Structures are given as structure tokens and as C-alpha cells.
Amino acid sequence: MERNHRGCCKARRDPHQIPGGEPTLRKDFRELTEVVQRSGVISSVTTNGQRMATEPRLFDYLDEAVFSLDALDSEKNGFHRGRGVLANVMRAIDHAFDRQTRVYIKMVVSTEIHDQIEPLLEFCERRGIGFHAQPVQVDWSYPDEEATALTLSDPDVRNMHLKMAEWKRAGRPLMFCAETYERTARWPDYTKFQLFGDKPSDCMAGRYYLHIEPNGDVYPCGLNVDRFSAKNILRDGLQTALKAARQHNCHAGAGASPPPAPAG
């Protein structure tokens, strides 16, 4: 693993984001982050923060932590994340700052908490935290009435992204650039997550961003898993797998973003 990370550094694959499920449930999570950081790659995790609230040693080898948090109101956040989650995330954020780990908050916006975007952004401004909000996404191949009721209308999605672009241009700590939010506001159909073409894509996915499955399969991004014939780091070799990920025909993804702009 460490050898492959060093190869990724040479190939400019940086940072390494450890996503979920909930990655901190792994017994070897701390050891994984140590290997990533020692390899010279930025060590980053997306987490619900629950285990980190009581085990601050999990931050020892983390450069960045992205916490899933949807509201500062415990009842509203609990509706999405579960009872007691808010207090634990706040404790985990304090532990992250104690260890000088960069902190970001990612909010999932539903019809139930649409009014919580700016209060959460204001909290991030006060604490020096990067912020990103994205609408609830539903796999429309398997519609569910309860889930569908939580999705924002298309005008609400567009207005939300235009507002975030406005905030970013005003210097507020949004994680991505204003152009990205404006592009998402122009997305033609929010029931489709990707747009494909007949020619090879010039998308940043596969060149500046990769999705690597636990078994070593390398994809341009998570949206491509069901359509892309992946090469495998262990079976095919690191360089072969990285080069193959560049060859895809997905020209755009709903909500897909370039590397985060610095918060602030």
C-alpha cells in the first residue's frame, strides 16, 4: 500500500480521501492514515465523527477531516443523522483543532432542513471551517416515496447553487470555486448524474481525481463504477490502472467538482 501511495504522489494523485460507509469503524483506520501520511499524500477522511468524539488519537495522522453535519439544531440534524450525533461532531471538531487538522463540513440538504444552510455556514465562518452543501440525491432507478419527498425541487437546487456561488465570490468559506456552483446550477436534468459522449472526455476525473475500491479497482470517479471497465492496481499494476482511468467518455457529472479551493 505504501509503495502504491508513493507512486500516486509521483502521478500527482493528491490528496487521498478515505470515504465511507464510515471509515473510522475499521480497526486499522489509524494505521491506514499513518501509511497515507508517511507516503507524502495528504491524509483526508469523510466521517460522521462519532468514534472520533471519544477516540481523538484517530486524528494523529490526519491532515483533513470532512464531517457530515446537516444542522446546528439537534432535532433537525437528528432527523437525518440520528439522535446525539450533533454533540459528538462538535466534540470531534474540537479534537481536530487541538491536533491542527484542517476541518470541513459537508451538509446534505433536504426539504426538512433547507433553512439550515446559512446558519451552518455562519458557524463555519466563526470556527475557520470550510463548508459545502449538496442536495439529497435519489437513485431514480429505484424511487422511494419517503426519499423522494425529501428532494428539493429543481428551482430550489439551482437557487441554492447560485447562492453558494454568490457567497464564494464574497469571500465566504465555501469548499469549491464559484464557477463550479454556477455550472451545477445550469445542469439540465437533476435526475441524471452523468452526461456521456462519443469522444474521450477531458473531465478532471481520471487525471486529477480517482476512485479506488478496496479490492484495488481504479475508476475515474464514484459515478463511473457501474459503467467503466476498471483496471486493478494489484492485478494490472499501478501505472496501468492509473492510465486506464483517464480513458472514459463521461463528460460531466451532476455536482462533480474540481479540487477544493482553499477555504476562506
Side-chain angles (χ1 to χ4, degrees), residues 32-89:
L32 285 174
T33 57
E34 181 182 7
V35 168
V36 172
Q37 194 178 75
R38 193 170 61 232
S39 301
V41 180
I42 293 174
S43 176
S44 179
V45 67
T46 298
T47 176
N48 61 25
Q50 301 310 286
R51 188 178 171 201
M52 290 174 150
T54 58
E55 296 185 52
R57 71 188 189 93
L58 296 177
F59 289 102
D60 286 351
Y61 300 104
L62 274 176
D63 298 300
E64 300 176 348
V66 182
F67 292 101
S68 299
L69 187 67
D70 299 333
L72 294 176
D73 180 292
S74 60
E75 184 176 342
K76 290 186 176 183
N77 189 72
F79 177 81
H80 275 194
R81 301 290 175 181
R83 185 177 299 176
V85 167
L86 175 62
N88 284 336
V89 170

Side-chain angles (χ1 to χ4, degrees), residues 3-259:
R3 183 177 68 252
N4 285 333
H5 271 286
R6 286 174 179 161
C8 285
C9 286
K10 294 178 183 177
R12 300 170 63 106
R13 295 307 192 264
D14 183 25
H16 181 112
Q17 173 70 229
I18 305 173
E22 177 48 46
T24 62
L25 294 177
R26 290 183 61 112
K27 294 180 180 180
D28 61 351
F29 174 80
R30 188 170 176 275
E31 289 72 25
L32 285 174
T33 57
E34 181 182 7
V35 168
V36 172
Q37 194 178 75
R38 193 170 61 232
S39 301
V41 180
I42 293 174
S43 176
S44 179
V45 67
T46 298
T47 176
N48 61 25
Q50 301 310 286
R51 188 178 171 201
M52 290 174 150
T54 58
E55 296 185 52
R57 71 188 189 93
L58 296 177
F59 289 102
D60 286 351
Y61 300 104
L62 274 176
D63 298 300
E64 300 176 348
V66 182
F67 292 101
S68 299
L69 187 67
D70 299 333
L72 294 176
D73 180 292
S74 60
E75 184 176 342
K76 290 186 176 183
N77 189 72
F79 177 81
H80 275 194
R81 301 290 175 181
R83 185 177 299 176
V85 167
L86 175 62
N88 284 336
V89 170
M90 293 302 175
R91 282 193 287 270
I93 288 173
D94 289 340
H95 292 320
F97 279 122
D98 288 343
R99 284 163 169 73
Q100 298 183 323
T101 301
R102 290 187 297 275
V103 176
Y104 301 90
I105 284 177
K106 183 170 70 174
M107 175 186 185
V108 175
V109 183
S110 74
T111 53
E112 296 290 328
I113 57 169
H114 194 210
D115 61 342
Q116 296 295 301
I117 301 174
E118 192 159 16
L120 198 48
L121 173 58
E122 290 171 352
F123 166 79
C124 290
E125 287 176 311
R126 292 194 298 270
R127 295 295 306 270
I129 295 171
F131 176 75
H132 176 60
Q134 62 186 56
V136 166
Q137 291 183 322
V138 174
D139 185 345
W140 295 100
S141 302
Y142 305 95
D144 176 271
E145 288 186 8
E146 292 185 9
T148 301
L150 296 175
T151 60
L152 303 182
S153 67
D154 284 3
D156 282 342
V157 173
R158 292 192 174 91
N159 289 337
M160 183 184 88
H161 285 91
L162 290 174
K163 181 55 99 174
M164 288 194 290
E166 177 186 321
W167 286 335
K168 183 65 178 183
R169 293 188 191 282
R172 304 185 78 176
L174 277 298
M175 286 174 62
F176 300 105
C177 64
E179 291 81 4
T180 291
Y181 293 120
E182 289 168 342
R183 185 185 59 144
T184 305
R186 296 192 299 269
W187 190 257
D189 185 351
Y190 291 114
T191 66
K192 296 180 179 178
F193 298 154
Q194 299 162 281
L195 297 178
F196 294 94
D198 297 327
K199 299 180 180 179
S201 175
D202 61 358
C203 176
M204 47 108 20
R207 294 184 296 131
Y208 304 109
Y209 175 88
L210 292 169
H211 174 88
I212 303 176
E213 288 286 299
N215 69 352
D217 286 347
V218 180
Y219 295 90
C221 77
L223 294 175
N224 294 95
V225 170
D226 63 341
R227 293 188 56 128
F228 183 78
S229 180
K231 297 293 185 181
N232 185 279
I233 291 174
L234 301 177
R235 183 185 64 245
D236 304 304
L238 176 65
Q239 293 299 324
T240 297
L242 296 183
K243 289 179 180 178
R246 298 183 178 193
Q247 307 302 315
H248 63 93
N249 67 339
C250 178
H251 288 259
S257 306

